[in-house]
Amino acid sequence: MTMKSPLTRRDVLKVLGGSVAGILLTPVPWKLLDDTAIWTQTGPWVSKLPRGPHSVLPGVCTLCPAGCPVALDCVGGVPFRTRAAGESPLCTFGWAFHQAPYHPLRLRSPLHIAGGRSATPVTAPEILARVRELMNDPSVKIAVLDQRPGRTASLFHRRLLKAIPGGLYVVSPDNESFLFGGLSQLTEEPGAPVGLDVSRTRLVISLGVPLLENQGATGMIGRELRKAGARVVQVEAGSPRTGILADECLQIIPGSAPMLAAGLAAIILNDFSDPGRLAKFRHVVGERYTMNIRRLKPDDVARVTGIPVQNLLALAGIMASSGPGTAVLTGPMSGLRTQDDEIVAGSLNILLDSTGPRGCVRYAAPVPSQFQQRSLAPVTDLRSVPDGSLNILIVDASYPGAILGGAALRRKLIPGRSIMLVFSPTLTGFARAADYVVPTPEPLEVITESAEFAGWISPHFELMRSVLPCPEGVVDPVAFMGELFGSPETSEGLLRRRIAAIHASGRGSVGGHDGSEVRVSDLASPDDLQAILLEGGVWHERTASGRSIRTFQPLRREITVDRPEPPEGLVLIVGGTRSLADLPPIMTKLVQESGLVDSDATVRMAPAIASSLGVGDGDRVVLSFGGGEWTARVVRDSRLRPGVLQLSASPAPVALGVDALEFGPDLSEVFESDGRFGSVHHHVVVRRG
Amino acid sequence: MNTGKVRFGMIIDLDRCTGCGACMVACAIEHNVPPGRDGVTERTGITWMNVHDVSSGEFPESDTAFIPMMCMQCEVDTPCVSVCPQNAVEWDPETGIVGQIPERCLGCRYCMAACPYHARYFNWWDPSWPNGAEQALNPDVSPRMRGVVEKCNFCHGRLHRAFELAAIDGRENIRTVEYTPACVEACPVQAMVFGDLNDPSSEAARLAADRRSFRFLTTLNTEPKVFYLSDRSWVRALGERSARATKEVEHG
């Protein structure tokens, strides 16, 4: 008798099937999934965190002239976080300060850019030789555009340019350092730095200054004004993104800012002014201009600016009653295109007598003897440089956020016999329009200095130490310029001499992050002063709170105010905040990843206009105007005046994976005049892209 | 559910916010969120903190508000917790913080579908940084891999650090000043306040009970712990709209 096996194939299959079903009720498969997820996160392709001792380095943010005190959290000596130190908060850019050296389009070698389209590596001596070749011509016209005026290096540039015939030291009106552009031209020293005494200001008329954006130096002034309880009237030609948050926001018709300034002056002159102020005003701006604007009727001003008459009268009344407590500031979105436009606006400060203690000529920190005023080239406004007049244009583009289009600069060159050379740490902004680009260090790689700006009326001097090694291939712009002009120097050497000059003067005191205060006269040597400055100390001289502007230089030319007709059809205004392309790529959070900030790929329009054009949010449209065409994505914005299209001038932040040599179109290339903030273009045609 | 334990919450004053985006940048840097890749969009980007620019009315009577949106840290029936098949989302009974555990996440994105605030983000790519920026990562926060979801966790890394510091001092509890999320620290106009909503003496609890206070989508009864303040009725009315509808009215 044979035993029959109790196990059948069916039984085996049952067990197997039961096991498979049963195992799902155990933690095994889920644990396996968990572990698989964990294993795949420890692969070599996943970034490893830095390790090392933690430390905190005090310093100042030198991305913009505000020079906010910061504390850098470091691991292994490398900063991984920037925090605000002291009372001043940081702006968006300041939080990314420590990431500046890691820009994806960072340059490691000088480049020659042919035709603005392709770049090939060259050496610094080759560029020097090429520039010297042009400089051999005795009639050569050479200019240095300083995008960060008010540094010791700026003084060095000015001294070099003073020594050669045809040398021009140029600054851009789009620079946020200049809030009193027009007023500055009327002082006894035209172009002198004028600062705002925030603590004594009660009313600010902001013509396109982004005071409430909380970004950069102007943002810092805005916060200080709020803290001091000053009333802010924001005048905007485009979408009043944060302007609406001001105490009052006036949305004018694009291009009518000069008329608004003249109209307000007319109302104040005719209805509120006392004889003393009138005489001073007439003395500076001339009898004819005074007569001309006094003839302006509020109705005419209202028609041109789009501001109701009663609002104009009310504003002029408030300005007159606030008198010396009023400051009229002009900025990049003001729509004041010419120097005369700025003078029209700046002269309001004279009319209101606000140039005594409020708008002051700023004192600078003591400078070495070779940088005294008489040995420096005068400051020239870029708008005064005629197109086609320069053989050599050198741009010290060390200020991130500049918005001026590269094409606008190229127009200043003599075609065929010229070179545009740009110092830049990254292949962004002006560098893309250059013939030659010289790579420069980023902040934190060398000792950097915070520039002077209009938010200070007493002299300041601040430094940020070097924390990271300077990459190979970068060039010190001061050393390059010194070699070019036969006057050897280095940035660090310049700063040491400046510190020595401050120490030798015995003036002021230096305050540390910890609230300590040491008088310079108590410091034994310049090295002691430098040591405190490199620890985040700030040298200042509170007692020298700016020199009141008592006398003005009468204008030597006549200024007039255009009376433009209100535009017909669609008007395009170039607006936006400022370029984010040369800031760390984390700024993609603000633009591509959220749409909080516009880039040059965005055009805003009122919903009614969008409906009439048959487009909606996100649709692509082609804008055609005088000089060319530009494609942008539509954003409907009910805050905009109907009939106005606003195109941001700000290139988007550089996202990861962008080819460094893939040159996209430059917005400024397609404009007839230039692609600057506030420029206005008429007869725009829009079609679906 | 008020259990008498700590309930961390945030109050954001929309009448102060100027939409500068400092909170967004500080948040991304704090949590090692990489910059966007070429072609990144609002749908594929990662912004734990996302500030929306909204407006009301037509020119010239228009008004603006900037609304920072992040995980609302729902206290009750937290939607993302209930749908996660992996227990990768956890509600901490000690703090009320809704945490995301990327190591457990399978990337099914049910939580993203469930979140009424659209405050969750999917990693479409492995994280990467340019030109050696890895050396500048925050050593307290691990980068997340491709294929997992992430979101605001009230800077949990900072909470841990605060507890570590307290432990070094021999304390069991942290002091309020020792734990501040990066966005609150970054806000240049002090529009954000963070604290224990269960502590009646805290500024956060006081503001949460303020007459100007409102929350988004309270009809869902998930008891979000992010409160907003505004005096403006049209801004307060946005609280009853879904995130998508709010997005649609951003600019009229």
Side-chain angles (χ1 to χ4, degrees):
Chain A
M1 197 172 161
T2 54
M3 288 286 288
K4 202 173 178 182
S5 168
L7 278 177
T8 62
R9 194 176 62 170
R10 177 180 291 260
D11 292 331
V12 173
L13 289 172
K14 275 179 175 174
V15 168
L16 283 175
S19 303
V20 169
I23 205 166
L24 294 175
L25 303 176
T26 72
V28 172
W30 313 110
K31 179 67 181 158
L32 194 62
L33 284 170
D34 272 354
D35 287 353
T36 308
I38 293 167
W39 294 333
T40 54
Q41 285 183 72
T42 53
W45 60 90
V46 176
S47 301
K48 301 289 179 292
L49 292 173
R51 293 288 175 233
H54 282 243
S55 56
V56 179
L57 295 178
V60 293
C61 171
T62 50
L63 284 180
C64 88
C68 298
V70 297
L72 296 170
D73 289 329
C74 303
V75 59
V78 177
F80 67 86
R81 185 195 292 132
T82 310
R83 289 185 286 115
E87 289 179 9
S88 177
L90 285 182
C91 73
T92 313
F93 308 143
W95 280 92
F97 177 49
H98 64 284
Q99 291 198 349
Y102 310 109
H103 195 285
L105 300 190
R106 189 73 200 275
L107 291 167
R108 308 281 178 189
S109 156
L111 291 179
H112 171 49
I113 300 176
R117 287 289 174 264
S118 65
T120 48
V122 289
T123 63
E126 282 173 329
I127 299 176
L128 275 169
R130 180 76 184 90
V131 179
R132 278 193 186 124
E133 204 178 297
L134 281 181
M135 287 177 73
N136 285 337
D137 181 348
S139 64
V140 68
K141 295 286 182 197
I142 181 167
V144 172
L145 172 64
D146 190 353
Q147 280 297 99
R148 201 169 195 177
R151 297 166 300 152
T152 312
S154 310
L155 300 173
F156 182 66
H157 294 330
R158 291 177 67 183
R159 192 167 66 89
L160 296 178
L161 291 162
K162 175 83 172 181
I164 59 164
L168 286 176
Y169 173 79
V170 182
V171 295
S172 158
D174 284 352
N175 196 301
E176 66 179 349
S177 295
F178 303 104
L179 301 177
F180 286 109
L183 182 64
S184 164
Q185 292 171 57
L186 299 172
T187 61
E188 280 188 322
E189 311 159 32
V194 179
L196 174 71
D197 186 349
V198 171
S199 65
R200 302 167 84 166
T201 303
R202 293 288 158 264
L203 171 68
V204 166
I205 313 297
S206 159
L207 291 168
V209 184
L211 289 175
L212 302 175
E213 288 277 337
N214 262 321
Q215 306 291 13
T218 49
M220 182 189 173
I221 293 177
R223 286 195 299 274
E224 293 295 317
L225 285 168
R226 284 292 197 207
K227 212 188 292 176
R231 185 177 162 83
V232 176
V233 176
Q234 186 74 22
V235 179
E236 301 269 2
S239 176
R241 185 174 177 273
T242 56
I244 282 179
L245 304 174
D247 297 294
E248 189 168 355
C249 179
L250 300 179
Q251 288 179 256
I252 58 171
I253 292 172
S256 66
M259 188 61 164
L260 175 71
L264 288 171
I267 297 169
I268 294 168
L269 277 169
N270 291 333
D271 299 348
F272 300 102
S273 190
D274 62 56
R277 283 190 202 170
L278 176 60
K280 190 157 101 178
F281 182 76
R282 187 186 287 138
H283 167 72
V284 176
V285 297
E287 178 67 34
R288 192 153 172 182
Y289 170 71
T290 309
M291 291 296 292
N292 278 342
I293 63 167
R294 289 191 81 167
R295 289 196 202 108
L296 286 175
K297 299 270 189 303
D299 287 342
D300 292 338
V301 179
R303 188 174 53 84
V304 173
T305 61
I307 305 295
V309 171
Q310 64 270 25
N311 292 17
L312 288 172
L313 294 173
L315 178 59
I318 295 169
M319 290 168 72
S321 62
S322 300
T326 308
V328 179
L329 309 180
T330 56
M333 264 299 278
S334 62
L336 302 169
R337 308 305 308 149
T338 64
Q339 284 178 288
D340 282 0
D341 287 349
E342 280 194 353
I343 289 172
V344 168
S347 64
L348 273 166
N349 289 297
I350 298 174
L351 188 58
L352 295 165
D353 204 19
S354 56
T355 54
R358 276 86 189 176
C360 305
V361 174
R362 281 177 283 128
Y363 285 125
V367 298
S369 55
Q370 62 267 48
F371 296 132
Q372 295 307 320
Q373 197 65 30
R374 62 182 176 280
S375 60
L376 305 177
V379 178
T380 304
D381 189 306
L382 182 64
R383 291 170 296 190
S384 306
V385 181
D387 286 354
S389 66
L390 297 174
N391 297 103
I392 301 168
L393 174 59
I394 298 173
V395 184
D396 193 351
S398 52
Y399 179 49
I403 202 71
L404 187 69
L409 291 187
R410 287 209 71 87
R411 278 194 278 272
K412 304 293 179 190
L413 298 174
I414 299 169
R417 288 188 296 122
S418 56
I419 282 179
M420 181 170 156
L421 166 65
V422 172
F423 295 117
S424 175
T426 59
L427 192 53
T428 57
F430 304 110
R432 296 169 63 141
D435 298 303
Y436 292 97
V437 186
V438 175
T440 54
E442 287 275 15
L444 298 176
E445 293 172 348
V446 290
I447 299 175
T448 45
E449 175 188 2
S450 182
E452 298 166 22
F453 89 118
W456 303 125
I457 54 163
S458 58
H460 276 65
F461 186 76
E462 297 160 309
L463 293 177
M464 181 66 221
R465 73 173 99 184
S466 65
V467 178
L468 299 168
C470 202
E472 281 197 19
V474 301
V475 176
D476 175 6
V478 169
F480 188 97
M481 290 291 286
E483 198 170 341
L484 184 64
F485 285 83
S487 178
E489 187 54 274
T490 63
S491 290
E492 201 166 330
L494 266 184
L495 290 173
R496 284 193 67 83
R497 285 201 281 137
R498 184 79 183 268
I499 291 165
I502 294 171
H503 182 261
S505 75
R507 284 165 43 191
S509 54
V510 58
H513 265 223
D514 54 359
S516 61
E517 191 91 10
V518 183
R519 283 189 304 183
V520 170
S521 54
D522 293 339
L523 294 170
S525 71
D527 289 342
D528 294 342
L529 176 58
Q530 178 167 320
I532 300 175
L533 289 169
L534 292 179
E535 285 295 320
V538 178
W539 176 87
H540 54 89
E541 191 178 20
R542 291 210 177 91
T543 49
S545 59
R547 186 169 71 244
S548 296
I549 309 171
R550 298 281 177 218
T551 53
F552 295 89
Q553 179 172 269
L555 271 178
R556 293 207 181 103
R557 63 180 189 281
E558 273 192 11
I559 51 174
T560 55
V561 179
D562 288 336
R563 297 187 193 198
E565 287 300 310
E568 292 174 9
L570 293 175
V571 179
L572 180 71
I573 180 166
V574 180
T577 47
R578 56 182 184 176
S579 170
L580 299 172
D582 43 9
L583 288 163
I586 201 72
M587 295 298 158
T588 58
K589 302 292 165 202
L590 304 185
V591 184
Q592 295 98 321
E593 295 183 72
S594 72
L596 177 64
V597 176
D598 289 346
S599 72
D600 56 1
T602 313
V603 60
R604 288 180 178 267
M605 58 182 75
I609 297 296
S611 299
S612 68
L613 294 169
V615 294
D617 282 337
D619 289 347
R620 290 172 73 80
V621 292
V622 178
L623 309 165
S624 306
F625 41 88
E629 293 187 334
W630 191 256
T631 304
R633 192 174 56 90
V634 171
V635 173
R636 293 178 306 143
D637 190 340
S638 60
R639 297 166 295 199
L640 260 178
R641 177 184 290 276
V644 175
L645 310 176
Q646 178 172 306
L647 180 62
S648 173
S650 317
V654 178
L656 300 184
V658 170
D659 183 350
L661 298 180
E662 189 183 279
F663 283 58
D666 181 344
L667 179 61
S668 65
E669 290 170 16
V670 301
F671 283 92
E672 283 173 311
S673 52
D674 56 56
R676 293 217 324 256
F677 264 150
S679 60
V680 177
H681 305 268
H682 295 266
H683 308 299
V684 182
V685 176
V686 183
R687 67 172 196 276
R688 274 184 172 275
Chain B
M1 193 78 63
N2 188 339
T3 58
K5 305 243 175 166
V6 173
R7 282 294 168 270
F8 287 114
M10 192 179 291
I11 291 83
I12 304 173
D13 191 336
L14 300 182
D15 295 344
R16 281 190 176 197
C17 178
T18 64
C20 68
C23 52
M24 294 175 70
V25 171
C27 171
I29 288 173
E30 176 71 21
H31 297 104
N32 294 335
V33 180
R37 294 194 175 218
D38 193 19
V40 71
T41 65
E42 291 174 45
R43 290 175 70 86
T44 56
I46 299 179
T47 50
W48 292 16
M49 166 66 80
N50 195 342
V51 181
H52 296 267
D53 171 6
V54 298
S55 62
S56 169
E58 298 270 324
F59 169 88
E61 303 298 328
S62 51
D63 194 9
T64 290
F66 297 97
I67 306 184
M69 298 283 286
M70 72 289 238
C71 170
M72 297 285 153
Q73 309 290 339
C74 299
E75 178 75 2
V76 176
D77 296 335
T78 312
C80 52
V81 172
S82 58
V83 299
C84 180
Q86 279 289 93
N87 285 337
V89 191
E90 283 192 348
W91 175 79
D92 180 3
E94 297 298 317
T95 60
I97 294 175
V98 179
Q100 178 79 19
I101 303 150
E103 289 80 1
R104 293 183 189 166
C105 180
L106 284 173
C108 68
R109 288 178 278 158
Y110 284 172
C111 55
M112 291 175 69
C115 177
Y117 302 103
H118 298 252
R120 299 180 143 268
Y121 299 89
F122 186 67
N123 280 275
W124 292 94
W125 302 279
D126 271 319
S128 61
W129 283 267
N131 277 339
E134 287 89 350
Q135 62 175 324
L137 294 183
N138 180 355
D140 295 336
V141 180
S142 296
R144 281 72 55 194
M145 65 176 291
R146 177 179 57 177
V148 300
V149 174
E150 60 186 67
K151 67 159 196 93
C152 163
N153 55 19
F154 273 170
C155 289
H156 213 257
R158 291 188 174 212
L159 177 63
H160 280 292
R161 183 154 280 254
F163 273 116
E164 281 171 17
L165 292 174
I168 291 168
D169 276 358
R171 287 180 283 122
E172 277 191 14
N173 295 316
I174 58 170
R175 298 190 187 106
T176 315
V177 291
E178 291 171 334
Y179 171 37
T180 306
C183 53
V184 178
E185 184 185 352
C187 183
V189 291
Q190 289 85 45
M192 293 170 158
V193 173
F194 183 77
D196 179 8
L197 299 173
N198 273 0
D199 175 3
S201 65
S202 73
E203 177 75 353
R206 188 185 66 76
L207 289 173
D210 190 271
R211 62 167 184 82
R212 301 165 62 222
S213 155
F214 70 98
R215 288 180 287 180
F216 276 88
L217 297 179
T218 48
T219 50
L220 298 178
N221 294 320
T222 58
E223 297 295 327
K225 293 194 288 290
V226 177
F227 292 73
Y228 294 86
L229 302 177
S230 181
D231 268 329
R232 295 174 284 178
S233 56
W234 73 269
V235 175
R236 298 164 61 82
L238 292 175
E240 297 311 314
R241 288 172 178 265
S242 70
R244 194 176 297 282
T246 303
K247 184 84 182 157
E248 281 168 4
V249 298
E250 270 189 3
H251 301 295

